[in-house]
Amino acid sequence: MVLERAARHPSGLGPGFRGRVIMPDAHDYDRARRVHNAAVDRHPALIVRPTSADDVALVVAHAQERGLPLVIRAGGHSMAGHSTGDGALLLDLSAMRDVEIDAAERTACADAGVLAGEYTAASHALGLVTPFGDTGSVGVAGITLGGGVGWLVRKHGMTIDSLLAVEIVTADGRRRIASAVEDPDLFWAVRGAGANFGVVTRLQFRLHPLHNVLAGDILLPATRDVLRSLVPVLLAAPDELTAMPTIMLAPEDPAIAEQHRGRPVAYVSVAWSGPAEAGERALAPLRALGAPISDTVTWQPYPALFAPVDRDEEPTWAISSRALFLDALDDAMIDVIERRLTEPGAPGAIVQLRVLGGAMARVPGDATAYGWRDRPALLWLITPDKDPARAAANEAWTAAFRADLPADGAATYVNFMGAEDTDSVRRAYPAAAYARLRELKRRFDPSNVFRANHNISPA
Ligand SMILES: Cc1cc2nc3c(=O)[nH]c(=O)nc-3n(C[C@H](O)[C@H](O)[C@H](O)COP(=O)(O)OP(=O)(O)OC[C@H]3O[C@@H](n4cnc5c(N)ncnc54)[C@H](O)[C@@H]3O)c2cc1C
């Protein structure tokens, strides 16, 4: 009976598959195919929601047998639209949501469908956290496989620096554990280029004690002096202070003095994760850069930085994205940013800086596939728009803005890349790391089964 049912099932997946299959005629197909980037509107041939690593192995084999392009989704926040595809078999991990915390050992295991905010809420209840990014709705798997730069990057490093092991189904259908001692080459590759090497089904992380942070936004006028000083001042801060300054036009908000509205300002979002008595002292040099227009910094529980989301109802945005590493904002860079943000007809773009250094920079550059440990800052140019009809125009504008920035050939960060070409993917890794990744790709995925990602072709 079970066999008959499976044989009749249009997905063609065998009876061993325990998860759910969503075909295009299902009532919730449209909701299930939705991804965070609303500019990406694609129709998979079928969507499967496995419930275990065994299910995942069946799906990986099935896609290859049927010659179906395989796309994998965890949190669905790929800005390049990699977690969906027309006519593809979409392996949606959202039904795999277990988080197991070992407070005594300070480790946690998360299924690959868990979101950063969900994990953080569960671990923080025990006074422990793992560093992710700045947004709760991003998938733990997706952010980790690209590196992970967030609120604790200077204190505890990137997400991959707290990764202890992964369980991964590779193209040959094998379930493997990759860690510092088992399949160490694969573990190296997973930490920065993971989406290329298999379906990660479970991740084990180190946890760090943390309850509250001193966090919020210090809004500064975007004068040339302020912008030039941001990176050096924040790099000189103690490792417990991580900041994300965002340069954008100030909104028409009555809480902001009129002369600043519609003009470039710097929202410096900060998180201090050190001792209470030292926090205000650490923020003083930042506040001294210019008279703050507003200041919302206050003590709060760390999970407040990861607003809870309903994964089915989260608003989507049409997003264009580009990234590059830099040493500091210099005058030439500032000129382009000011001109582009204020030019007539400009979409509402934002230019965010992630000031790095600290624990992240103390990891040797060749320890993980992510290799840009020596870069002081990362610039993320994002054009979000509620209206997908403007997506193509915004994409062209964002690409032109990036091309104007005087940083030809600068390194980029795989998690912040948009839909870009192979040359850009090459710039996401130092040359030696890229060559090693191509060799490992040949070893673990010679037919490039896992290609719906910032793809590394097998050597
Ligand atoms: C609003 C927003 C905020 C962000 N903030 C940050 C930030 O602060 N720091 C940062 O570093 N990044 C940040 N990012 C970037 C984010 O980390 C990447 O887009 C990440 O890839 C998203 O992961 P996901 O699981 O949500 O996405 P998905 O779209 O599900 O997956 C992203 C990629 O990873 C692959 N993938 C996902 N799960 C697996 C798996 N289990 N096995 C193999 N491959 C898999 C997918 O196929 C796809 O190629 C942000 C993105 C957005 C949209």
Side-chain angles (χ1 to χ4, degrees):
M1 186 59 189
V2 173
L3 278 175
E4 267 170 40
R5 243 195 352 253
R8 279 203 309 271
H9 197 286
S11 75
L13 275 160
F17 183 73
R18 302 272 169 221
R20 181 162 176 229
V21 177
I22 303 172
M23 300 299 290
D25 57 0
H27 71 280
D28 54 350
Y29 172 81
D30 274 330
R31 177 166 285 189
R33 72 183 181 83
R34 204 175 76 133
V35 289
H36 183 257
N37 188 352
V40 180
D41 180 21
R42 303 198 184 126
H43 293 79
L46 74 163
I47 301 169
V48 297
R49 288 193 177 144
T51 55
S52 66
D54 287 339
D55 273 356
V56 169
L58 282 174
V59 175
V60 170
H62 182 74
Q64 292 179 76
E65 278 158 20
R66 297 288 170 107
L68 282 170
L70 180 63
V71 297
I72 297 146
R73 182 199 303 162
H77 279 55
S78 159
M79 284 163 290
H82 287 147
S83 43
T84 182
D86 284 328
L89 192 174
L90 166 53
L91 193 168
D92 170 4
L93 291 155
S94 62
M96 294 174 60
R97 306 267 284 272
D98 182 50
V99 183
E100 230 175 89
I101 293 161
D102 184 335
E105 288 295 321
R106 290 198 179 162
T107 62
C109 284
D111 281 347
V114 172
L115 304 182
E118 295 167 347
Y119 177 109
T120 302
S123 71
H124 184 265
L126 300 169
L128 298 165
V129 302
T130 294
F132 295 113
D134 70 343
T135 300
S137 53
V138 165
V140 162
I143 190 169
T144 305
L145 301 182
V149 175
W151 289 118
L152 302 175
V153 68
R154 288 167 51 78
K155 186 172 184 193
H156 293 303
M158 302 175 74
T159 308
I160 47 173
D161 301 329
S162 290
L163 185 68
L164 298 172
V166 294
E167 178 188 61
I168 180 168
V169 176
T170 41
D172 56 8
R174 276 181 59 190
R175 272 173 67 171
R176 304 169 191 253
I177 301 294
S179 70
V181 289
E182 288 179 81
D183 260 325
D185 282 344
L186 184 57
F187 190 51
W188 176 86
V190 155
R191 287 173 292 162
N196 270 278
F197 288 91
V199 186
V200 167
T201 53
R202 203 160 161 82
L203 306 96
Q204 186 189 31
F205 293 103
R206 188 176 299 119
L207 290 162
H208 311 272
L210 183 63
H211 286 282
N212 296 329
V213 284
L214 181 61
D217 299 324
I218 299 169
L219 181 54
L220 297 172
T223 63
R224 202 150 278 249
D225 276 351
V226 167
L227 296 184
R228 265 197 307 245
S229 308
L230 283 171
V231 175
V233 163
L234 291 165
L235 271 180
D239 291 356
E240 288 87 353
L241 183 65
T242 289
M244 304 181 189
T246 299
I247 307 158
M248 58 187 279
L249 301 187
E252 291 300 322
D253 177 350
I256 296 173
E258 204 172 342
Q259 78 264 27
H260 297 294
R261 292 184 218 155
R263 298 294 313 150
V265 287
Y267 273 91
V268 189
S269 306
V270 297
W272 166 260
S273 51
E277 62 286 359
E280 295 293 342
R281 212 167 46 241
L283 288 171
L286 188 59
R287 289 182 169 132
L289 282 182
I293 301 165
S294 66
D295 188 331
T296 63
V297 175
T298 176
W299 283 96
Q300 45 193 302
Y302 178 69
L305 303 182
F306 296 90
V309 284
D310 174 335
R311 55 171 89 205
D312 286 331
E313 302 302 335
E314 190 196 13
T316 58
W317 294 82
I319 298 174
S320 294
S321 177
R322 293 292 185 275
L324 62 113
F325 288 97
L326 40 76
D327 292 335
L329 280 183
D330 57 21
D331 283 344
M333 198 73 85
I334 293 168
D335 284 343
V336 174
I337 293 170
E338 279 178 353
R339 175 169 57 79
R340 280 294 188 173
L341 289 183
T342 55
E343 73 189 8
I350 63 178
V351 177
Q352 190 181 75
L353 293 173
R354 302 284 177 109
V355 182
L356 305 169
M360 180 226 195
R362 288 191 286 272
V363 175
D366 59 358
T368 56
Y370 175 92
W372 301 120
R373 303 283 182 169
D374 57 346
R375 304 297 149 117
L378 173 61
L379 182 151
W380 187 12
L381 166 61
I382 321 157
T383 310
D385 200 319
K386 274 280 159 212
D387 184 359
R390 287 192 288 262
N394 288 350
E395 176 64 18
W397 184 86
T398 308
F401 186 159
R402 165 63 190 93
D404 278 0
L405 290 168
D408 250 5
T412 186
Y413 172 43
V414 76
N415 272 355
F416 287 170
M417 287 173 65
E420 295 173 62
D421 57 13
T422 317
D423 248 19
S424 308
V425 179
R426 200 182 287 265
R427 286 189 287 103
Y429 305 96
Y434 189 73
R436 185 175 172 195
L437 284 168
R438 291 197 62 203
E439 286 299 332
L440 291 170
K441 181 76 172 174
R442 180 168 65 179
R443 189 163 131 207
F444 289 103
D445 184 17
S447 314
N448 207 2
V449 172
F450 302 105
R451 59 178 177 276
N453 44 47
H454 294 294
N455 197 234
I456 293 161
S457 53

